[in-house]
Amino acid sequence: EEEEVDRPEFVGEDLWDWESTGRKRRYFADDNKTSGVDPEVYQQGWVKGSGAKSSRLMFSKMVNLSFVLTVIGAVFSCFYIRMVLVSTNWAGIGETYGKLIGSMLNAGQITVMEVLYEGCAKWLNSRENHRTDTEFEDALISKIFRFTFVNSYSALFYQVFLSSAIDRGVESLECKGVECIQLLV
């Protein structure tokens, strides 16, 4: 199998790769191997040593976690608004349109968060400085898949596991038996 070439965007330092090829290879410093680094590249923050790669990956994980927590909060907010509208019959439309408004807010939240996260995931991925196109694409696909899964299915998770406890007392939101399937559609 032929070795994959480095991405043109990959920034690293040429070091000897004695273990696998015995030739020089560019590395993104994750330790103190910063001797001979171009000062301009070093000041841009690409090769810092002392865990530069690890700190970028940790930053990406923290941003991903922030997005996931935002989605969970937004889903709870959508269902809370739905519950308030239905239970108080706000402005005379809550009983009729409360469920619809909650569902539309949730659909809008899914769409907006998907668009926001896709741009952020691409930025984070390029910031992580992956060596090859395969590594770059694998990391991007992994990030987007995990977020899309949480973003798309958190409302379903809420409806199946949490709504019976949280929506208790709101008669038009409670379901029994087969009626519960209608709430998932």
Side-chain angles (χ1 to χ4, degrees):
E1 185 176 308
E2 194 173 312
E3 189 175 320
E4 191 172 356
V5 297
D6 293 349
R7 292 175 52 235
E9 297 89 1
F10 177 70
V11 177
E13 181 181 4
D14 287 333
L15 298 171
W16 287 102
D17 184 8
W18 294 110
E19 295 167 3
S20 60
T21 63
R23 301 182 309 215
K24 272 196 167 189
R25 188 173 185 183
R26 282 191 299 168
Y27 283 95
F28 182 52
D30 198 26
D31 52 22
N32 290 321
K33 299 175 184 171
T34 57
S35 59
V37 176
D38 179 11
E40 183 179 329
V41 173
Y42 183 80
Q43 288 194 355
Q44 289 174 357
W46 287 105
V47 181
K48 287 190 175 180
S50 300
K53 185 174 184 177
S54 299
S55 65
R56 287 172 187 237
L57 291 173
M58 184 58 71
F59 177 75
S60 292
K61 289 178 183 179
M62 295 306 292
V63 171
N64 290 336
L65 180 63
S66 299
F67 266 93
V68 166
L69 292 175
T70 301
V71 164
I72 292 170
V75 167
F76 274 96
S77 297
C78 291
F79 282 103
Y80 179 75
I81 290 169
R82 177 188 74 149
M83 183 180 69
V84 168
L85 287 173
V86 170
S87 65
T88 62
N89 196 16
W90 182 78
I93 62 167
E95 189 71 38
T96 308
Y97 296 109
K99 292 178 185 177
L100 178 65
I101 291 170
S103 297
M104 289 175 60
L105 285 172
N106 188 44
Q109 170 268 320
I110 290 171
T111 305
V112 168
M113 291 302 291
E114 199 71 38
V115 170
L116 290 175
Y117 185 75
E118 186 176 337
C120 185
K122 289 177 182 177
W123 176 76
L124 287 171
N125 217 39
S126 63
R127 188 178 184 280
E128 290 171 5
N129 196 25
H130 295 282
R131 176 192 311 275
T132 63
D133 284 331
T134 302
E135 288 176 10
F136 181 85
E137 290 168 6
D138 288 349
L140 184 62
I141 289 168
S142 175
K143 279 181 187 66
I144 291 177
F145 174 78
R146 286 186 306 231
F147 178 77
T148 301
F149 182 83
V150 171
N151 192 31
S152 299
Y153 292 108
S154 57
L156 178 66
F157 180 84
Y158 173 89
Q159 198 65 49
V160 171
F161 297 109
L162 302 174
S163 67
S164 60
I166 295 173
D167 294 343
R168 187 173 298 154
V170 181
E171 191 173 315
S172 61
L173 293 178
E174 290 182 3
C175 64
K176 295 172 186 81
V178 181
E179 294 175 3
C180 296
I181 294 175
Q182 293 174 347
L183 293 174
L184 299 175
V185 178

